[in-house]
């Protein structure tokens, strides 16, 4: 598995590390033979989900927390692999013994979403019907499809109700969907740096990234694996576009400003530091990420809009939700600005749901959700402290599964 | 000449038209045999500038106004061509009889910048040394190079001092440079929707657009003309990226929101209206614009930073300026936000320059500078009214040139 240290941009971790690492972890895989009906109308006859777990499931099976990932991350949320100690989980500052999501108290599950490229069934895995990689034949998936598959995984590991489903960005959308469509199976939802749907501008950025990939001559209609190539050019540009939206203008200015590498060259070689940085990010991404996956995950983002199931009324869409909500936004996030989080909060308030909201002052833009800002981690840690006290005495609602 | 109606994005004109059209206009060309030394260290041995003029130069030669263009526009500022009546100048709502820049009172000059692709010497024109198109051999140019060439044109048409140099976006940067380096030749500068330099984020967007072009296999190192192709894929993506930055988030939301074309298709064909719109803009641009020009003009934007000539102190860089300034910004412009215009204003105030500043409430983002917002046009019209009264009685400072 490739090394990656952040779901989104490359903002550096800040602040002193708190708590300890979960240490060595193992990637697991669950195979599902029961077909999964997808929103697009197609059915996956069988599929695998890659996942990791940290901490221990208590006897009552009430302390499980699902961590959902955003665009380009995976089930490798915390810890590291014995044979790859530099490959630290993408939310390692959040999840571990004594960390905000404390693995001494919670049983934490990370899962790689369907259609991704890190072990779960997706375009790079083998289509059992052909014996070849799925490539562009893999269906387009939605947030709802992911959540349905995650529910199958919950059954498999014997979790009838999550103490919490938690995610940042696209991960937060999965938490919203859990709350709406599986209300009995979720005690609380942590919706961080998310939005109730994508704005026109959000879709526009996704579409440009897709066009960069789709028009790369090495994309070959998505069957590039058959040609032994990858649409690296398109992936590079796609990642560079995404990257801009993960960082705040202020952060980029502080970090790079107009700094030059070695003076003006009057050429198209990188002259400004920001140019080198973006090119490096693009190169790195093009090496480890799959183009068909990128296309599908951006589409899942574009499609997510639970309000459409309730005539455009988000509050009404949330009417089935019974769990408690923590919504967190960051002041300089312009991908999913605080105003979008407040739309969620207002809809929850209109539905008289139990919701807490924190708007964290942070200069890092959207990437802030991956960083260990003390105020942010304090809010999340306090939330989980309360959940931990509640679930300690809750009886199981489901018999143990094998 | 291709038809284009706006320098930047495709925001529609709003409000009632004021004044009349300048009517049928003609594109002219001036040839210069004297070499032009460029900032990059190279010299153009000879060059042509395409230009247009509207209105009459008065006897004292004091009523000339230079209009500088932004990224993808040209010298065709106002009016239309007899053989192409739909090809209306890009700032026709601003320039004409009875319009804010009133051609009944002013002699207005539009010039296509060096390195562009609409008639002035640039990558698509013939390199006299080889008899072939310059292509990627055309030098990288700067705002200062443009202004030096514009000064040669001013000499040619007999204008010793511009009553005003005016421009929006990159055009405003040219007005700033005129004020700093040719203080005796400019009575007033109109700096609209501009910035004293590009931010890291601005450079990042430009760099991604360039990478899309440079990595298009049909770019062929910039010599694509020799292969009978164009890097259309790269140009499309470049234009789509630029386009996002020209429109405000709010405007995009109002205009497109999450509107679908015909329901979800679960494919990569355009599903949302914003996707169709961007693809259309990209297609159109790729047909008429030159890739080598796009690369050079974005670099000119990146390079512009007059403060570097004064140790990073913009106020000191402006110390040579003697003209009066009108600085205008727009509330929803996030490409060059009002805060960047205020940097210019503050530096001018520190230098005790005569400066007026208007921040116009407009929902259209950066594109607002092309639209006929009444408040905006009122401010510009009042400015020119004052200039008109002043220059009416000013004697010429230069003998008439042929």
């Amino acid at each position: 598995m490739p090394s990656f240290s952040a779901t989104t941009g490359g903002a550096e971790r800040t602040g002193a590390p708190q708590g300890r690492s979960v240490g060595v972890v193992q990637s697991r895989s669950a195979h599902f033979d029961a077909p999964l009906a997808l929103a697009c109308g197609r059915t996956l006859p069988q599929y695998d989900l890659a996942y990791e777990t940290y901490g221990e499931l208590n006897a009552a099976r009430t302390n499980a927390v699902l961590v959902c990932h955003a665009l380009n991350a995976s089930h490798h949320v915390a810890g590291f692999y014995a044979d790859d100690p530099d490959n630290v989980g993408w939310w390692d500052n959040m999840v571990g013994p004594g960390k905000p999501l404390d693995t001494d108290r919670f049983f934490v599950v990370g899962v790689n979403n369907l259609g991704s490229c890190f072990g779960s069934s997706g375009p790079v895995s083998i289509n059992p019907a052909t014996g070849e990689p799925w490539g562009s034949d893999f269906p387009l998936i939605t947030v709802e499809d992911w959540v349905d598959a995650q529910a199958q995984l919950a059954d498999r590991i014997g979790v009838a109700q999550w103490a919490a489903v938690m995610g940042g960005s696209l991960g937060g959308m999965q938490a919203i969907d859990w709350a709406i469509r599986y209300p009995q199976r979720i005690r609380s939802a942590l919706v961080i740096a998310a939005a109730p749907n994508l704005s026109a501008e959000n879709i526009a950025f996704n579409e440009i990234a897709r066009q960069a990939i789709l028009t790369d001559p090495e994309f070959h209609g998505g069957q590039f694996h058959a040609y032994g190539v990858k649409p690296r050019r398109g992936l590079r540009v796609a990642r560079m576009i995404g990257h801009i939206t993960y960082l705040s203008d202020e952060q980029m200015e502080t970090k790079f400003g107009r700094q030059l590498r070695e003076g003006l060259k009057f050429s198209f070689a990188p002259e400004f530091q920001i140019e080198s940085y973006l090119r490096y990010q693009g190169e790195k991404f093009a090496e480890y990420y799959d183009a068909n996956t990128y296309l599908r995950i951006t589409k899942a983002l574009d499609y997510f809009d639970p309000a459409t199931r309730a005539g455009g009324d988000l509050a009404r869409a949330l009417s089935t939700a019974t769990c408690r909500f923590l919504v967190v936004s960051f002041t300089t996030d312009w991908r999913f600005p605080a105003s979008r989080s407040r739309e969620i909060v207002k809809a929850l308030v209109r539905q008289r749901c139990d919701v807490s909201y924190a708007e964290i002052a942070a200069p890092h833009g959207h990437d802030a959700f991956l960083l260990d800002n003390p105020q942010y981690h304090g809010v999340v840690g306090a939330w989980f402290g309360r959940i931990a006290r509640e679930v300690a005495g809750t009886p199981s609602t489901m018999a143990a599964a094998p």
Side-chain angles (χ1 to χ4, degrees), chain A:
Chain A
M1 172 166 305
S3 170
F4 53 85
S5 58
T7 6
T8 54
E12 281 139 24
R13 302 278 156 77
T14 56
Q18 295 175 328
R20 305 184 311 281
S21 169
V22 298
V24 172
V25 299
Q26 278 192 311
S27 179
R28 298 163 195 269
S29 185
H31 180 76
F32 297 87
D33 273 323
L36 185 72
L38 304 174
C40 66
R42 292 173 62 187
T43 297
L44 272 183
Q46 52 176 267
Y47 57 97
D48 297 297
L49 291 178
Y51 69 103
E52 290 182 7
T53 69
Y54 324 109
E56 297 296 325
L57 187 58
N58 63 13
R61 299 175 174 271
T62 55
N63 69 332
V65 174
L66 177 65
V67 174
C68 302
H69 70 77
L71 213 156
N72 64 313
S74 76
H75 55 297
H76 185 34
V77 175
F80 52 89
Y81 300 125
D83 60 352
D84 187 7
D86 293 335
N87 186 353
V88 175
W90 58 268
W91 222 349
D92 192 75
N93 61 20
M94 180 67 85
V95 178
K99 293 185 179 178
L101 176 44
D102 187 346
T103 51
D104 286 339
R105 305 168 94 178
F106 290 99
F107 173 67
V108 178
V109 179
V111 57
N112 188 218
N113 284 328
L114 279 178
S116 182
C117 51
F118 299 117
S120 292
S121 295
V124 298
S125 53
I126 300 298
N127 178 352
T130 64
E132 298 288 323
W134 280 95
S136 56
D137 293 335
F138 196 85
L140 266 69
I141 26 76
T142 63
V143 168
E144 290 78 4
D145 296 332
W146 287 335
V147 169
D148 288 344
Q150 290 161 2
Q152 296 298 314
L153 181 67
D155 292 346
R156 179 70 57 88
I157 59 181
V159 173
Q161 186 187 57
W162 299 105
V165 176
M166 173 187 196
S169 192
L170 180 53
M173 293 173 168
Q174 295 163 61
I176 293 171
D177 188 58
W178 267 101
I180 292 174
R181 294 195 309 118
Y182 291 93
Q184 304 307 316
R185 302 198 65 171
I186 171 172
R187 173 177 283 270
S188 74
L190 287 87
V191 179
I192 302 172
N197 59 30
L198 260 59
S199 68
E201 189 183 82
N202 292 149
I203 296 171
F205 277 116
N206 279 347
E207 169 64 4
I208 298 172
R210 283 192 295 266
Q211 284 298 310
I213 292 169
L214 291 166
T215 64
D216 184 327
E218 298 198 312
F219 181 64
H220 293 291
Q223 300 303 84
F224 48 88
H225 55 88
Y227 297 80
V229 295
K230 281 184 73 170
R232 283 193 174 77
R233 297 180 194 92
L235 272 168
R236 272 188 225 121
V237 169
R239 176 59 165 176
M240 289 193 270
I241 292 169
H243 212 84
I244 290 190
T245 70
Y246 305 144
L247 301 180
S248 69
D249 186 19
E250 302 89 306
Q251 176 75 352
M252 227 186 243
E253 204 55 31
T254 306
K255 203 165 167 182
F256 302 104
R258 296 182 50 82
Q259 284 171 55
L260 292 166
R261 298 176 73 217
E262 310 168 329
L264 294 184
K265 302 285 184 188
F266 293 99
S267 81
F268 300 112
E271 297 180 289
F272 292 91
Q273 293 288 7
I274 181 67
E275 294 176 296
S276 313
Y277 173 76
L278 279 179
R279 288 195 199 184
Y280 172 75
Q281 294 294 337
E283 290 290 341
K284 202 171 65 168
F285 187 70
E287 287 311 308
Y288 80 78
Y289 209 75
D290 171 58
N292 285 309
T293 295
Y294 199 87
L295 294 174
R296 278 158 183 74
I297 298 194
T298 56
K299 271 292 182 186
L301 272 160
D302 291 1
Y303 291 152
F304 183 71
D305 191 8
T308 54
R309 290 195 298 267
D313 182 342
L314 181 62
R316 202 146 67 80
L318 288 160
S319 63
T320 53
T322 53
C323 73
R324 193 183 304 147
F325 286 83
L326 174 63
V327 178
V328 180
S329 68
F330 299 90
T331 48
T332 58
D333 185 349
W334 65 279
R335 184 181 178 87
F336 294 147
S339 58
R340 303 305 320 272
S341 283
R342 287 194 294 265
E343 286 179 41
I344 299 168
V345 173
K346 283 175 193 160
L348 289 167
V349 168
R350 274 183 54 207
Q351 273 305 322
R352 301 175 180 277
C353 292
D354 184 341
V355 55
S356 300
Y357 173 56
E359 188 171 322
I360 307 290
H364 307 96
H366 190 60
D367 255 4
F369 88 83
L370 294 165
L371 307 178
D372 57 2
N373 177 302
Q375 192 193 358
Y376 163 44
H377 277 197
V379 166
V380 172
W383 180 269
F384 277 116
R386 178 177 166 194
I387 301 282
R389 287 188 296 276
E390 288 176 5
V391 299
T394 309
S396 171
T397 56
M398 180 179 171

